[in-house]
Amino acid sequence: MQLVIEGGRPLSGEVTISGAKNAALTILPAVVLTEGESVLANIPDIADVRVMLRLLEGIGVAVEREEDRIRLEVRGPLNPEVPYADGKQLRASSLLLGPLVARLGEARVPLPGGCKIGSRPIDLHLKALEALGARCTVEHGYVIAEAPYGLHGGPIYLDFPSVGATENAIMAAVLARGTTVIHNAAREPEIVDLATALNRFGAKVVGAGTDVIRVRGVDGLSGGEHTIIPDRIETGTYLLAGLMGGGPITVRHVIPTHVEPLLAKLEEAGVRFIVEGDQIRAWLEGRPKAVQVKTLPYPGFPTDLQPQMTSFLLLAEGTSIVSERIFEDRFGHVDELKRLGGRIKTEGRTAVIEGVERLTGAPVTATDLRQGASLVIAGLAAEGETVIDGLEHLDRGYERLEEKLAGLGARVYRVEEVEERVWV
Ligand code: UD1
């Protein structure tokens, strides 16, 4: 699938932000721990969520979708084995390990795939589960976690504040005997949302949002209702897309504190804001100033906005430096952005961007979700036509992408099938 952009038209107006992909992808698996019915609201209709729902159905969770609300219930026996084909596609399938081993004493999850942005091992997830008494092995492409006599609480020290390992550790600890203390935990807002949802279901999790999280094990969880937080990465993506042409752009239904690391950098680049309740209005006069950006765990600058920020800086006055500190191989956008006229050099995990005055459209290829978003942002600002191949990568994480962009004045359309031209 392709996205065709007629670029060079500044965007402005208002866009409503959807629920957070990464919060949905951890709170949906948490339902495995519950006994009653759960209703999760503000769930985005994106491909990654659809795959996760199929995985849940595949292991025995009843799923009923009504627009952005999803009703889920574990009815009958759960299957500890996650279906291979779908499970392998989605990195977040690893987030079923903790809940399944906690609930059933056994979990079999395909070694995960996901965005191609580095090797992305899951050793920290396994170390955390082992600290709670699980035995973890890899066989025939499956990660197997076993705890036939149940899990027990204990201290967990994470070598790095991994988001997924923290989530798995919390979910496993919720039904473990005794208390678990997770040290060097990730502090991302999605972790706080997971803890909030679990506590609504009857868990005892305190400290989420700090680097020490305490979980007191309980005998069981009921279901409950929870509304997922807004997507801070989608928020940042639309802000940056709008600011490429100066704006003004308003993002609605957001939690402004969750995007502070981005707002701080944009302010340095000369962007002005008005933050009011759950809305941010942003605009920029003239070209942005060059800045230095370094990705770090929350509350540092998010790695998931690094490619989009790189696109924004293509048109800055001066030389910007972007350092990627979370993933070892996350500059897949650089060569494609050069096709649009960007002047970027990379050395290891650093990109040096010499700002230019204009970009020009070209055919480019999306190879992962956020890399694809960076191509959309640059394509919208580039004069002439940009055709982005690999639109399915964007569909993994952006709900109603063309519709939202069109609402801001973009000329974009989707081509379902590539026309084959045969010359005779
Ligand atoms: C989550 C997000 C992803 C985001 C990332 C960092 C979801 C579904 N995905 O991914 O969008 O880019 O956080 O904010 O929430 N690592 C290990 N061993 C492990 C686990 C991680 O070495 O067991 C490394 C990774 O390779 C990476 C770093 O730690 O270099 C950060 O990964 P992590 O925080 O775990 O990211 P994810 O949970 O996979």
Side-chain angles (χ1 to χ4, degrees), residues 390-408:
L391 184 51
E392 55 283 3
H393 291 286
L394 282 143
D395 289 339
R396 283 188 38 220
Y398 289 95
E399 188 178 47
R400 295 184 279 111
L401 178 69
E402 307 95 277
E403 193 187 313
K404 289 192 185 188
L405 288 173
L408 295 170

Side-chain angles (χ1 to χ4, degrees), residues 136-360:
C136 300
T137 49
V138 177
E139 264 175 47
H140 306 296
Y142 279 92
V143 184
I144 301 167
E146 289 165 309
Y149 305 107
L151 298 172
H152 55 74
I156 297 176
Y157 295 89
L158 294 176
D159 295 336
F160 180 87
S162 153
V163 173
T166 303
E167 292 166 346
N168 251 329
I170 294 173
M171 290 189 281
V174 153
L175 295 184
R177 286 185 307 276
T179 298
T180 299
V181 183
I182 308 166
H183 299 270
N184 200 23
R187 292 184 282 164
E188 270 67 4
E190 293 74 20
I191 308 266
V192 179
D193 208 31
L194 170 66
T196 308
L198 285 169
N199 287 342
R200 288 215 169 109
F201 301 163
K204 304 265 182 249
V205 183
V206 294
T210 76
D211 60 0
V212 181
I213 298 176
R214 282 189 170 71
V215 185
R216 188 142 58 82
V218 295
D219 291 336
L221 295 187
S222 62
E225 286 209 24
H226 178 71
T227 300
I228 305 280
I229 54 171
D231 196 308
R232 64 196 166 96
I233 306 302
E234 193 196 17
T235 305
T237 302
Y238 282 103
L239 278 175
L240 290 165
L243 288 168
M244 281 302 261
I249 167 123
T250 302
V251 282
R252 299 177 52 224
H253 191 215
V254 305
I255 299 181
T257 49
H258 290 173
V259 280
E260 245 162 39
L262 170 69
L263 300 189
K265 261 306 140 194
L266 290 177
E267 202 164 12
E268 240 181 272
V271 174
R272 315 271 306 274
F273 304 99
I274 298 174
V275 176
E276 224 174 20
D278 69 352
Q279 301 193 7
I280 305 169
R281 181 177 159 88
W283 69 96
L284 175 68
E285 275 151 32
R287 292 168 65 189
K289 293 192 217 85
V291 291
Q292 299 206 4
V293 180
K294 191 193 280 178
T295 67
L296 286 171
Y298 190 85
F301 191 93
T303 174
D304 284 353
L305 281 176
Q306 180 266 108
Q308 301 90 315
M309 186 70 181
T310 301
S311 288
F312 174 70
L313 294 173
L314 293 175
L315 293 176
E317 258 177 289
T319 303
S320 302
I321 297 177
V322 175
S323 310
E324 174 56 54
R325 306 294 289 267
I326 306 293
F327 292 106
E328 76 267 26
D329 186 12
R330 200 170 200 178
F331 281 122
H333 42 297
V334 166
D335 281 343
E336 297 306 282
L337 292 177
K338 282 187 196 164
R339 292 182 206 280
L340 301 174
R343 291 180 69 178
I344 319 178
K345 271 194 301 217
T346 49
E347 216 185 282
R349 291 187 179 196
T350 302
V352 179
I353 305 152
E354 241 180 85
V356 292
E357 279 184 35
R358 60 190 273 269
L359 300 171
T360 52

Side-chain angles (χ1 to χ4, degrees), residues 47-62:
D48 272 10
V49 163
R50 278 179 237 130
V51 176
M52 180 56 84
L53 292 175
R54 279 207 299 275
L55 294 180
L56 288 170
E57 283 179 317
I59 57 173
V61 179

Side-chain angles (χ1 to χ4, degrees), residues 22 91 120-125 162-164 303-304 326-327:
N22 288 350
R91 172 151 176 100
R120 297 185 88 175
I122 58 161
D123 55 313
L124 300 174
H125 299 231
S162 153
V163 173
T303 174
D304 284 353
I326 306 293
F327 292 106

